[in-house]
Amino acid sequence: MKLLVYFSAIQFAFFNATSMIAQINQNYVFINYLLQNEKNREALFLLNQPNEIKNTDTLNFLKGYNYYLMKKVDTAAVMLSKVSAISNLFSKAKSFEILNLLYAKKHSIALGKFDDFCMDTAFMYRHVFNTMKAGNYLLLRKYEKFDSLCNTFRYDDFRLTNEQMRLKELSIRARKNYSKSPIKAALLSSVVPGLGKFYAGKKGAAIASFATTTALGLMVVESYYRTKNIKSPQVITFGTLFTFFYAGNILGSYFSVQQQIKSSNGKINNEILASIHVPIIRFFK
Amino acid sequence: MKFLRVFTCLLFVFLSRLTYANNDTLKLKQFADSLFIVGNYFEASVYYQKLDFFLIGENEKNKAKLSAANANKILKQYDNAINILNAISLNDVHDSLIYEVKYQCALLNYLKNDFLQVEVYLNQLNYLVSDSNYTSKSWILQALNLNEQYKWQAAKEKLLMLNSRLHKNDSVLYKRVRKEIDGMYAMNQLPKLKSASKAIKMSSLIPGLGQCYTKNYGEGIASFISVASSVGIMAVGIVFQFYFTGIATGNMLLGKFYLGGIKRSEFLAEKYNYTIAKSFNQDLKLRIKQQFIP
């Protein structure tokens, strides 16, 4: 009878312990459910409650992942960096940390993070990491290093092939992007108003500039033709307006090309980031 | 005997597990309720959602969802509340639940000024709920929504229907409320809305006339003067033989002022209608509340 009582007590304790573990697992499952349903505020609230998730690595990972979904990339990178190397979530956390660092434009720090992986992981995921590194070098516009990593691409893994090819294509576009010169645009606009904007790829603005400047020029000519006096108020008024538009158009062309390089660079960078993002999701999510 | 002992042990353990699980959700519910009572609606909403996630019974789950939606409604997170309500399965459920879900969805859309969606949910309510005791409860919201859509006659009919239903046994009260409704929606009381297309046509014919039609006389006169000045510049240019300058400048200004004036008159008509209907509906809302909501 005594033995029975002991046995029951042990069983009771055991099942209560398993219930508690089950409850913690349930909390994890519920927070995951919130994350999948884009209820990030709710998830963050629960993650900040004591006793919801006991394991520090899991807690840090979930917080970091939640911040990543909330597009708070800096905080996400910090939280994900706190996941220790002994955790099962380490590879996943590190990959997402690198991704967040890239979104936070901390490209050099992101490159250094590849050294944190143990040799086995680095070998197992070498093709993914090479793709990520190549993208990273492309963001830094270090074409030599990008090309050397590109040579290691085998294009035989369907999870990577599209992104690897996309990165190659983007490197060609990035190199081409700097071929346009703002000074050349300004010079073209000084010869024919609007030509600099046409060169920058803004056809509509080019036609509008050409029409306005030419119309004002014709007004100056007409005013001079009628008054035969260069100091007449009509000539001075339209002449001033013409000069203002003519000079403005030259400056506008210069800044148009500069702006176009900047925005096109931004677009290329976004596409590079997407090409890094997709394999990370495929391999580590 | 040995079998009996093992069986007793297992039964004891099973019962303790069951009691623990039930206690757990009960505690969660009590905790969420206590948060709601003290006004921590966001926290309460999170725990109601957690409760809904862990509960097994469909009925209890729906109750948790309704509570979470209610907390979100108070927080003015209308889209969240609608998403939670739409997750409630309405297959083979009582009319009361269908009414509650559809009515709350309509109300939430009304609160976020999406009047077309209100109509959609109210139509669903009328179609899915067969018990007229429930559908009649939504008539006030229907009337308010029709008011917002400038359909005042239809709103009046809804309120009259509601009056007949509510006060059919009290003829004095019925007559008093009917008189009040008739007064609210009397033809001479209804706002006279301006037609945007009429304003466009008027401004196309005579610049500035559309603006005057929407009672913006200053703008109308300014628009007319601007267009006339543009024509004047053109005429002066031609008279003084500055053909190119006159025609180019005049045409450019004329195009801008004339087309701009037409667009402006359309906008002003819509703005006028919105302003006048808003203040009228605000007054109606208060009067309807006085008559039908104790």
Side-chain angles (χ1 to χ4, degrees):
Chain A
M1 190 61 196
K2 209 174 175 182
L3 195 69
L4 183 68
V5 171
Y6 283 141
F7 180 69
S8 299
I10 290 164
Q11 280 279 352
F12 184 73
F14 172 74
F15 268 89
N16 267 345
T18 50
S19 299
M20 278 180 75
I21 292 164
Q23 195 198 3
I24 290 163
N25 279 339
Q26 280 177 336
N27 290 343
Y28 176 79
V29 172
F30 178 61
I31 289 168
N32 254 330
Y33 156 81
L34 289 175
L35 293 179
Q36 279 165 15
N37 287 283
E38 294 173 13
K39 295 185 174 180
N40 305 105
R41 270 182 68 212
E42 285 88 338
L44 191 63
F45 165 74
L46 285 180
L47 287 167
N48 286 328
Q49 298 303 305
N51 303 325
E52 283 289 334
I53 303 283
K54 298 266 186 190
N55 185 299
T56 322
D57 285 331
T58 312
L59 183 66
N60 286 331
F61 174 77
L62 286 174
K63 275 188 182 177
Y65 192 70
N66 194 31
Y67 281 121
Y68 149 74
L69 292 175
M70 291 167 89
K71 295 186 175 69
K72 292 183 177 176
V73 286
D74 283 304
T75 325
V78 171
M79 295 314 296
L80 289 164
S81 71
K82 288 180 183 172
V83 178
S84 65
I86 52 163
S87 168
N88 287 338
L89 296 163
F90 180 73
S91 304
K92 201 173 169 178
K94 198 51 63 184
S95 308
F96 277 97
E97 186 194 342
I98 292 169
L99 183 67
N100 282 292
L101 286 168
L102 291 177
Y103 275 112
K105 296 184 180 173
K106 292 174 180 170
H107 306 126
S108 307
I109 302 170
L111 269 175
K113 294 284 174 186
F114 284 100
D115 300 333
D116 294 351
F117 289 105
C118 69
M119 281 177 66
D120 286 347
T121 314
F123 181 75
M124 192 163 60
Y125 293 114
R126 63 191 181 284
H127 298 304
V128 196
F129 292 160
N130 279 347
T131 311
M132 285 164 70
K133 276 184 192 170
N136 207 336
Y137 282 121
L138 195 55
L139 285 169
L140 289 162
R141 301 292 187 268
K142 290 185 177 173
Y143 297 114
E144 277 178 24
K145 289 194 172 171
F146 171 78
D147 289 338
S148 71
L149 280 165
C150 247
N151 292 334
T152 66
F153 292 171
R154 288 163 55 191
Y155 307 106
D156 59 354
D157 188 339
F158 72 94
R159 293 170 296 178
L160 287 169
T161 312
N162 279 346
E163 281 66 38
Q164 287 173 338
M165 283 165 72
R166 189 99 191 100
L167 282 175
K168 271 200 121 176
E169 192 192 311
L170 287 167
S171 83
I172 297 165
R173 266 175 60 191
R175 282 172 233 231
K176 234 183 185 179
N177 195 31
Y178 285 102
S179 60
K180 282 185 182 173
S181 152
I183 293 167
K184 197 174 170 184
L187 285 171
L188 281 170
S189 266
S190 63
V191 178
V192 181
L195 199 60
K197 283 189 178 163
F198 193 82
Y199 167 74
K202 293 181 176 174
K203 288 175 189 168
I207 293 165
S209 295
F210 178 77
T212 317
T213 320
T214 312
L216 283 167
L218 285 171
M219 284 176 195
V220 179
V221 171
E222 191 183 51
S223 302
Y224 180 71
Y225 179 75
R226 289 284 162 216
T227 57
K228 303 284 183 208
N229 179 10
I230 204 153
K231 289 178 182 172
S232 70
Q234 290 97 323
V235 175
I236 290 170
T237 311
F238 289 117
T240 312
L241 275 171
F242 171 76
T243 315
F244 181 74
F245 272 82
Y246 180 76
N249 184 38
I250 293 169
L251 273 174
S253 299
Y254 179 88
F255 289 117
S256 275
V257 171
Q258 222 176 34
Q259 184 59 37
Q260 201 226 9
I261 290 172
K262 211 174 162 185
S263 79
S264 163
N265 259 337
K267 271 186 195 167
I268 291 169
N269 285 352
N270 282 343
E271 287 184 45
I272 296 168
L273 282 168
S275 301
I276 300 171
H277 201 149
V278 174
I280 292 178
I281 298 289
R282 281 190 191 138
F283 279 86
F284 298 103
K285 196 179 173 185
Chain B
M1 192 61 188
K2 195 178 173 185
F3 170 77
L4 194 69
R5 281 177 188 175
V6 172
F7 179 76
T8 319
C9 280
L10 287 176
L11 189 71
F12 177 65
V13 165
F14 173 74
L15 286 174
S16 75
R17 173 79 186 88
L18 200 70
T19 321
Y20 184 86
N22 283 340
N23 277 342
D24 210 27
T25 47
L26 191 68
K27 270 184 201 166
L28 200 56
K29 190 185 179 315
Q30 283 170 348
F31 185 53
D33 286 341
S34 67
L35 285 167
F36 189 89
I37 290 162
V38 295
N40 293 335
Y41 300 113
F42 174 71
E43 291 80 353
S45 148
V46 175
Y47 285 108
Y48 280 129
Q49 287 178 69
K50 194 174 178 181
L51 186 67
D52 165 41
F53 188 77
F54 289 135
L55 281 168
I56 298 158
E58 204 58 41
N59 207 14
E60 293 301 311
K61 277 174 92 73
N62 290 341
K63 276 183 191 167
K65 280 192 185 100
L66 286 171
S67 302
N70 193 23
N72 273 287
K73 184 170 79 178
I74 297 168
L75 288 166
K76 296 188 179 175
Q77 301 283 325
Y78 302 128
D79 286 322
N80 273 353
I82 292 167
N83 286 338
I84 293 168
L85 288 171
N86 280 330
I88 296 176
S89 167
L90 298 177
N91 292 329
D92 300 324
V93 292
H94 192 257
D95 275 359
S96 62
L97 181 65
I98 303 174
Y99 165 77
E100 190 62 27
V101 171
K102 295 297 172 192
Y103 181 79
Q104 285 300 328
C105 283
L107 182 64
L108 288 160
N109 276 296
Y110 181 78
L111 290 170
K112 64 182 237 200
N113 295 332
D114 191 346
F115 305 116
L116 282 175
Q117 275 301 314
V118 179
E119 209 174 326
V120 169
Y121 280 109
L122 289 173
N123 283 339
Q124 285 178 7
L125 191 152
N126 288 330
Y127 180 74
L128 295 169
V129 179
S130 46
D131 189 342
S132 63
N133 285 326
Y134 288 114
T135 47
S136 62
K137 281 187 197 172
S138 68
W139 287 349
I140 291 183
L141 183 61
Q142 282 191 44
L144 290 174
N145 192 49
L146 288 164
N147 283 342
E148 296 296 340
Q149 295 179 66
Y150 312 157
K151 295 173 183 170
W152 289 294
Q153 278 310 317
K156 183 185 172 185
E157 280 164 28
K158 273 279 168 244
L159 290 176
L160 288 174
M161 275 162 68
L162 185 67
N163 185 32
S164 331
R165 192 175 181 93
L166 291 177
H167 309 126
K168 59 184 170 192
N169 299 326
D170 187 344
S171 63
V172 179
L173 188 61
Y174 170 79
K175 278 179 188 165
R176 192 178 62 74
V177 175
R178 181 171 178 127
K179 199 178 166 189
E180 182 64 30
I181 294 169
D182 285 336
M184 277 192 260
Y185 291 99
M187 285 309 279
N188 57 353
Q189 294 276 317
L190 295 179
K192 287 178 180 60
L193 301 178
K194 303 287 180 190
S195 156
S197 62
K198 200 172 172 183
I200 291 172
K201 278 176 196 161
M202 287 170 105
S203 266
S204 310
L205 201 68
I206 301 168
L209 198 62
Q211 284 93 323
C212 291
Y213 167 66
T214 58
K215 297 190 178 174
N216 289 283
Y217 301 106
E219 273 199 43
I221 292 163
S223 176
F224 182 78
I225 291 170
S226 309
V227 173
S229 308
S230 308
V231 176
I233 288 169
M234 212 189 303
V236 169
I238 291 165
V239 168
F240 288 95
Q241 293 180 320
F242 283 88
Y243 299 112
F244 181 78
T245 309
I247 292 167
T249 315
N251 251 322
M252 193 184 73
L253 291 173
L254 184 66
K256 294 277 176 202
F257 286 126
Y258 182 72
L259 295 174
I262 291 171
K263 276 204 160 190
R264 181 77 185 155
S265 65
E266 184 189 11
F267 168 76
L268 287 173
E270 279 163 8
K271 190 184 165 191
Y272 176 86
N273 289 346
Y274 173 76
T275 317
I276 199 168
K278 195 183 171 189
S279 71
F280 179 70
N281 284 338
Q282 198 63 34
D283 181 47
L284 276 182
K285 217 185 275 184
L286 285 173
R287 291 169 77 177
I288 290 169
K289 201 178 162 188
Q290 277 169 6
Q291 293 305 318
F292 292 102
I293 301 167

